[in-house]
Amino acid sequence: MKISEFVKKVVIPVVSALFLAALFRPLCMENGECNYLNLWWFMGIPFGIHRMFFWIIPKGYDIGGTVGILFINVLVGGVIGGIVLVWRLLAAAVYLVKAVVAVIRWTVKKMAGKPYRA
């Protein structure tokens, strides 16, 4: 387990999710309560917009139709990104457990006086 792998796989996804949650939470407050579906969608936009393989290009529409189609594109990107965000956070949790187990094994072997082999 390298520190750079740990930072890339655990720290960056968790910190980015916390930053996005802090950034978008005020937009999702309704009557003093947070709408978590909207928060999940907003947090997914940065993770999903660039992963969309198919964009609907508005052509031949008036301004309302163009804005509506662009909103559908952003909505689909947010849903895709929300799924990617959840997947990355689950992968970070699994990697964190693996790192903790590796550190515990390393510590036990060091205390026993045996050389550590990964």
Side-chain angles (χ1 to χ4, degrees):
M1 301 273 163
K2 294 181 180 179
I3 297 294
S4 62
E5 288 179 12
F6 182 78
V7 168
K8 186 174 104 177
K9 293 184 179 181
V10 176
V11 175
I12 290 176
V14 171
V15 169
S16 65
L18 290 174
F19 173 73
L20 290 171
L23 183 69
F24 290 124
R25 190 163 191 261
L27 295 175
C28 300
M29 297 299 285
E30 297 173 359
N31 298 328
E33 295 180 5
C34 184
N35 186 345
Y36 290 106
L37 183 62
N38 285 350
L39 183 63
W40 173 73
W41 176 69
F42 279 129
M43 288 173 61
I45 290 172
F47 285 91
I49 284 292
H50 65 280
R51 286 189 171 80
M52 288 180 57
F53 294 114
F54 180 70
W55 279 80
I56 301 172
I57 306 297
K59 184 177 180 182
Y61 292 100
D62 58 346
I63 189 72
T66 302
V67 170
I69 289 177
L70 291 176
F71 178 76
I72 293 287
N73 287 331
V74 172
L75 181 64
V76 169
V79 170
I80 291 170
I83 293 168
V84 169
L85 176 65
V86 169
W87 177 257
R88 280 205 178 164
L89 291 177
L90 287 175
V94 168
Y95 193 82
L96 181 64
V97 169
K98 284 183 181 180
V100 167
V101 168
V103 167
I104 290 172
R105 287 181 62 209
W106 179 80
T107 305
V108 167
K109 291 205 185 243
K110 276 295 210 185
M111 293 177 88
K114 298 177 184 175
Y116 176 73
R117 297 188 191 246

